[in-house]
């Protein structure tokens, strides 16, 4: 069985490698960006991909689904600290290739997800399932209104500025800006900065002339 670790968190990658190597037949490859992942999938089309979506360079779930569809024999285990209910519904409803577990969940869930993927079945953790079921109507509701500060931070994100740069310009701590970013992501129901900008453009929160990334 071929596995592709697409997780840029070193500690998690180390733990997963040790877990997978308990199976002497497992062959583990590493991917550090989308291009590298696609290259490995070309060589190992039926591999199991273990992906932390929030730490990888997929711009949105559409791009993720396109890659999964392109390599239809592959199985994917999404392993992240947190994923929005909107993202979970979109991915889970669009493809049976995806299993979902969380990094702070029980080890048994991760084992079961990997076992299910090896049998070409999917595994949805209880936490992910509850998020999907309990918020079915969330997509039809308007997100919470961004504050003026949050809108300004969205503009800065659109200009390609880092959290550190935004904190410096606003005379704030990196921790404060990180908290604002998390609140923005939660309100807009997104997982990445690119998705924030796409939403902000559609909603008219920022002008297209401010979009630089």
């Amino acid at each position: 069985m071929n596995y592709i670790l697409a997780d840029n968190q070193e500690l998690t990658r180390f733990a997963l490698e040790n877990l997978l190597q308990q199976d002497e037949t497992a062959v583990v490859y590493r991917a550090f960006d989308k291009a590298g992942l696609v290259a490995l999938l070309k060589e190992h089309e039926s591999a199991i991909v273990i992906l932390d979506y929030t730490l990888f360079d997929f711009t949105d779930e559409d791009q993720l689904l396109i890659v999964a569809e392109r390599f239809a024999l592959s199985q994917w285990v999404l392993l992240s600290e947190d994923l929005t209910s909107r993202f979970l519904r979109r991915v889970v409803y669009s493809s049976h290739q995806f299993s979902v577990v969380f990094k702070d969940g029980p080890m048994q869930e991760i084992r079961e997800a990997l076992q299910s993927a090896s049998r070409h079945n999917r595994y949805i953790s209880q936490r992910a399932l509850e998020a999907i079921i309990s918020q079915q109507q969330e997509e039809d509701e308007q997100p919470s209104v961004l504050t003026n500060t949050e809108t300004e931070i969205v503009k800065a994100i659109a200009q390609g500025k880092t959290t550190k740069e935004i904190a410096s310009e606003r005379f704030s701590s990196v921790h404060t800006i990180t908290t604002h970013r998390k609140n923005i992501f939660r309100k807009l129901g997104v997982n990445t900065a690119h998705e924030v900008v796409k939403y902000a453009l559609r909603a008219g929160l920022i002008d297209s002339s401010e979009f630089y990334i």
Side-chain angles (χ1 to χ4, degrees):
M1 181 64 66
N2 294 317
Y3 295 88
I4 301 174
L5 293 184
D7 190 319
N8 286 323
Q9 191 172 63
E10 187 173 2
L11 183 60
T12 302
R13 197 167 57 242
F14 175 79
L16 288 170
E17 285 179 345
N18 279 273
L19 174 63
L20 295 172
Q21 287 169 357
Q22 293 176 13
D23 178 1
E24 295 181 355
T25 65
V27 181
V28 181
Y29 301 91
R30 294 182 179 183
F32 298 96
D33 55 28
K34 179 170 61 68
L37 174 58
V38 170
L40 284 170
L41 282 169
K42 287 179 179 178
E43 297 180 19
H44 312 286
E45 294 187 355
S46 60
I48 296 175
V49 180
I50 306 174
L51 170 71
D52 187 337
Y53 173 80
T54 61
L55 296 180
F56 229 60
D57 62 340
F58 284 103
T59 55
D60 54 31
E61 64 264 31
D62 288 330
Q63 197 175 79
L64 173 62
L65 289 168
I66 288 170
V67 173
E69 183 179 4
R70 178 180 175 185
F71 300 99
L73 298 178
S74 64
Q75 294 291 314
W76 298 65
V77 177
L78 299 181
L79 178 64
S80 298
E81 292 185 0
D82 196 22
L83 292 167
T84 65
S85 59
R86 184 188 66 81
F87 171 86
L88 290 172
R89 287 197 303 275
R90 175 75 190 286
V91 171
V92 169
Y93 290 168
S94 297
S95 173
H96 284 272
Q97 292 171 259
F98 291 93
S99 296
V100 183
V101 287
F102 292 94
K103 289 185 176 180
D104 59 353
M107 177 63 73
Q108 183 60 29
E109 286 189 346
I110 298 176
R111 292 182 185 275
E112 290 179 8
L114 293 172
Q115 291 171 0
S116 295
S118 69
R119 296 190 295 266
H120 290 270
N121 296 321
R122 73 174 176 184
Y123 178 89
I124 309 297
S125 71
Q126 185 64 28
R127 174 180 164 188
L129 191 60
E130 289 174 357
I132 293 169
I133 293 174
S134 65
Q135 299 185 30
Q136 288 292 316
Q137 299 179 347
E138 184 178 303
E139 289 179 349
D140 299 325
E141 299 174 356
Q142 291 294 325
S144 303
V145 177
L146 297 181
T147 65
N148 290 336
T149 297
E150 289 168 345
T151 301
E152 290 301 315
I153 291 174
V154 167
K155 291 180 180 180
I157 292 172
Q159 293 167 351
K161 296 176 181 177
T162 66
T163 299
K164 186 175 181 180
E165 289 171 336
I166 297 171
S168 177
E169 290 183 357
R170 299 187 64 83
F171 302 101
S172 299
S173 69
V174 170
H175 174 74
T176 297
I177 300 303
T178 299
T179 300
H180 281 307
R181 282 174 62 100
K182 288 181 178 179
N183 289 336
I184 291 166
F185 282 28
R186 175 181 55 78
K187 287 183 178 182
L188 300 185
V190 299
N191 295 284
T192 68
H194 188 85
E195 291 174 302
V196 168
V197 176
K198 283 176 62 177
Y199 181 92
L201 284 168
R202 290 197 304 269
L205 297 176
I206 59 174
D207 188 86
S208 58
S209 63
E210 297 171 296
F211 180 63
Y212 294 109
I213 62 174

